[in-house]
Amino acid sequence: MPVSGSEIVKMLPGRKPCKDCGLPTCFAFAMKLVSGGATVDKCPYLSEEVKAKLADLLAPPIRLVSIGRGEDKLQIGNEEVIYRHEKTFIHPPGIALLISDRESEASIGEKIRKIKEFKFPWIGLNLKADLVAPSFESQDRNRYLALVKKLYESLETGMVLISEDMDALFSARDICGDRNPLLYPITKENLNRAIPKIKEKPTPIGIRGEDIEGLISLTTKLKDAGIEDLVLDAGSKSLMEAMKDQTFIRRAALKQNFRPLGYPTIAFPCFMARDGLKEILAASLLMIKYAGIVVLSDFEQSSLLPLLVQRLNIYTDPRFPLAVEEKYYEIGEPDEGSPVMITSNWALTYFIVASAIESTKISSYLCVKDTEGLGVLTGWAAGKFSGDSISAFINKCGIADRVKQKKLVIPGKVARIKGELEDALPGWEIVVGPREATGLLSFLPEFIKG
Ligand code: SF4
């Protein structure tokens, strides 16, 4: 339940509009605070105590936690809704690959290869697993630390360090601390010993309670100790239990604004199923029902890709279609004699047309007109793919300077704009292309002959 402006205004000084915060009234300032457009330090009359209370009230209901560094940094949490259709889910869950220190060198090498190679370009994105999770199971600390070192040196990926042995856990943290690893598990048994070590070199902490109540007690103690980058595990043993716990945590954080559970979560489908397919299915359910990280025992391309695509679909903002930038794109190595085509900037349209052109092996220019992510026909119906708007785009995008022959191929679905476009774009010949992108396979070879 987000805090309201009227709740916040009660905590402000209420001086006759002094406007020192740059806003006309305290109420206007309160509204700005709630919307994230202002920070508490803009009002010079707030005591430190009130500032701290306001910061707590205004914090997102689920804390944003980062794991890893640089381009491979994973951010989880900061979610605002229970159901995706209410607004959007924001930070896609991380997919982690578990590697036990009891595995053979060959198996470890194979998993490193999978993390490096299983990357899938997908409508302008690069889909991949996000984390590697070395697990201490051998009871041989040196062996575990050697594994952590090997993974640290072989991969840029963020890490989840898993060890019940605190010495091994914090020694592993010292190896890869600059990569901001998640340390797991902190439990009620090791908490007091762990707190000073965590504070020495702060990184995110995965905490495991024996149940939800146990988690609440742990997060409260860690928060009191000033440690807040937490990821929660309610200790769920089965998929059913995990789904129930994940849902409870999400609802408590968002509906009740219950701070002790306002953190992202981690789930272990790797321990919930014995066969690979069931494990992937469990991961897929847990990604829908709110896990911030899912840990898998292994994957193949055929099992990882569907999971990545599902994640993409769930975490794509349903309010905005995926779109690409408005400009002309070079496909192959086009020159001044190459064909010029135009389409809309709905990502799916762009990639279908671009890959059809690539299949012909005829280097071309593909002009992509901004239709606010609508397809060709819908864009035309909405007035965003009309003769006038296309001519304005063609004149400003610079394609005219790149080609000698001024011929523009338009999609067959909007053949009706040919005359309008010829009037609006003097000097260009407008050619009606195929209705579907697949038609380019036969159309383009004939077109370049003419
Ligand atoms: Fe109110 Fe503070 Fe703004 Fe003055 S500076 S109007 S007291 S919020």
Side-chain angles (χ1 to χ4, degrees):
M1 225 184 312
V3 66
S4 69
S6 48
E7 282 171 79
I8 294 293
V9 79
K10 290 178 200 157
M11 302 171 71
L12 298 179
R15 295 173 173 242
K16 291 287 175 205
C18 71
K19 302 182 185 173
D20 289 355
C21 56
L23 289 153
T25 61
C26 289
F27 188 72
F29 182 64
M31 295 305 286
K32 273 271 178 194
L33 282 177
V34 170
S35 67
T39 48
V40 287
D41 55 328
K42 290 280 184 277
C43 172
Y45 309 109
L46 297 174
S47 67
E48 287 308 314
E49 191 191 346
V50 172
K51 274 188 194 168
K53 271 191 192 160
L54 282 171
D56 203 38
L57 274 175
L58 293 164
I62 298 179
R63 188 177 174 85
L64 181 68
V65 175
S66 301
I67 301 161
R69 294 265 189 245
E71 280 185 10
D72 287 291
K73 180 168 77 176
L74 173 77
Q75 292 197 302
I76 51 175
N78 210 9
E79 301 297 332
E80 296 173 8
V81 293
I82 303 274
Y83 302 107
R84 175 182 180 260
H85 62 256
E86 291 176 87
K87 189 173 174 189
T88 180
F89 291 166
I90 300 168
H91 291 106
I95 295 175
L97 179 58
L98 186 76
I99 304 183
S100 163
D101 64 349
R102 281 196 310 193
E103 290 183 44
S104 67
E105 282 299 311
S107 168
I108 292 168
E110 177 62 5
K111 285 188 171 176
I112 291 174
R113 182 190 71 78
K114 288 177 179 178
I115 289 281
K116 280 185 179 167
E117 292 181 9
F118 289 3
K119 294 180 178 171
F120 308 93
W122 190 277
I123 48 171
L125 302 168
N126 192 20
L127 307 186
K128 59 186 175 60
D130 312 275
L131 299 164
V132 65
S135 170
F136 182 35
E137 293 170 14
S138 67
Q139 306 310 318
D140 176 347
R141 281 183 196 151
N142 290 335
R143 189 179 167 112
Y144 180 60
L145 297 181
L147 171 64
V148 171
K149 190 160 186 285
K150 181 171 188 158
L151 296 175
Y152 174 70
E153 288 171 353
S154 313
L155 299 164
E156 297 292 318
T157 318
M159 298 171 96
V160 180
L161 303 176
I162 302 180
S163 170
E164 305 280 344
D165 179 309
M166 286 294 99
D167 290 335
L169 187 65
F170 287 102
S171 299
R173 184 270 314 266
D174 292 342
I175 291 172
C176 59
D178 65 333
R179 205 160 299 159
N180 197 33
L182 176 73
L183 310 190
Y184 173 92
I186 301 305
T187 63
K188 74 173 183 194
E189 285 78 22
N190 63 28
L191 181 75
N192 291 335
R193 215 181 128 210
I195 284 177
K197 286 181 175 282
I198 297 167
K199 292 179 90 168
E200 268 169 28
K201 284 186 198 165
T203 66
I205 303 301
I207 58 174
R208 187 182 66 210
E210 64 275 24
D211 53 24
I212 300 266
E213 277 186 27
L215 267 186
I216 294 168
S217 153
L218 285 170
T219 57
T220 308
K221 284 180 185 154
L222 283 160
K223 189 176 178 199
D224 289 347
I227 299 166
E228 286 209 73
D229 279 338
L230 307 177
V231 177
L232 311 183
D233 171 16
S236 331
K237 301 281 181 304
S238 67
L239 177 59
M240 180 71 91
E241 249 182 66
M243 299 280 284
K244 217 170 65 187
D245 290 341
Q246 296 281 338
T247 307
F248 185 92
I249 291 169
R250 173 66 67 99
R251 293 189 74 84
L254 293 188
K255 293 286 179 196
Q256 312 301 327
N257 206 14
F258 185 64
R259 295 288 178 191
L261 292 178
Y263 301 93
T265 59
I266 185 168
F268 293 87
C270 53
F271 303 135
M272 292 174 192
R274 287 212 181 128
D275 88 58
L277 184 58
K278 284 187 182 155
E279 184 181 324
I280 294 289
L281 286 172
S284 118
L285 286 168
L286 287 161
M287 288 201 313
I288 294 168
K289 284 294 175 191
Y290 315 132
I293 297 172
V294 290
V295 185
L296 299 173
S297 63
D298 203 356
F299 47 64
E300 298 301 328
Q301 292 203 53
S302 56
S303 53
L304 179 61
L305 180 58
L307 205 55
L308 291 167
V309 174
Q310 179 199 315
R311 180 177 73 173
L312 177 69
N313 288 340
I314 301 169
Y315 280 80
T316 300
D317 192 335
R319 297 166 301 172
F320 305 103
L322 273 180
V324 296
E325 188 189 348
E326 178 182 77
K327 64 176 191 177
Y328 71 80
Y329 291 79
E330 296 185 359
I331 297 180
E333 293 175 356
D335 57 25
E336 59 183 18
S338 298
V340 181
M341 282 154 276
I342 187 157
T343 190
S344 79
N345 80 330
W346 185 27
L348 195 57
T349 302
Y350 165 76
F351 284 101
I352 288 173
V353 175
S355 67
I357 296 171
E358 273 167 19
S359 305
T360 67
K361 301 203 178 348
I362 297 171
S363 294
S364 306
Y365 295 101
L366 179 59
C367 300
V368 172
K369 163 84 181 66
D370 182 5
T371 53
E372 297 179 10
L374 298 174
V376 165
L377 209 49
T378 335
W380 168 77
K384 299 177 193 309
F385 202 70
S386 62
D388 281 348
S389 63
I390 290 176
S391 73
F393 162 56
I394 291 291
N395 285 330
K396 79 168 186 220
C397 76
I399 187 64
D401 301 330
R402 301 299 307 272
V403 287
K404 249 191 196 159
Q405 279 191 336
K406 305 284 188 290
K407 285 188 183 178
L408 178 64
V409 180
I410 61 172
K413 280 183 179 163
V414 288
R416 68 194 78 195
I417 66 170
K418 181 175 188 299
E420 180 193 342
L421 195 49
E422 279 168 345
D423 291 344
L425 210 51
W428 283 81
E429 182 186 339
I430 307 302
V431 180
V432 176
R435 285 181 63 81
E436 302 296 340
T438 48
L440 289 168
L441 298 176
S442 52
F443 173 86
L444 265 187
E446 289 303 313
F447 178 70
I448 56 168
K449 282 186 204 161

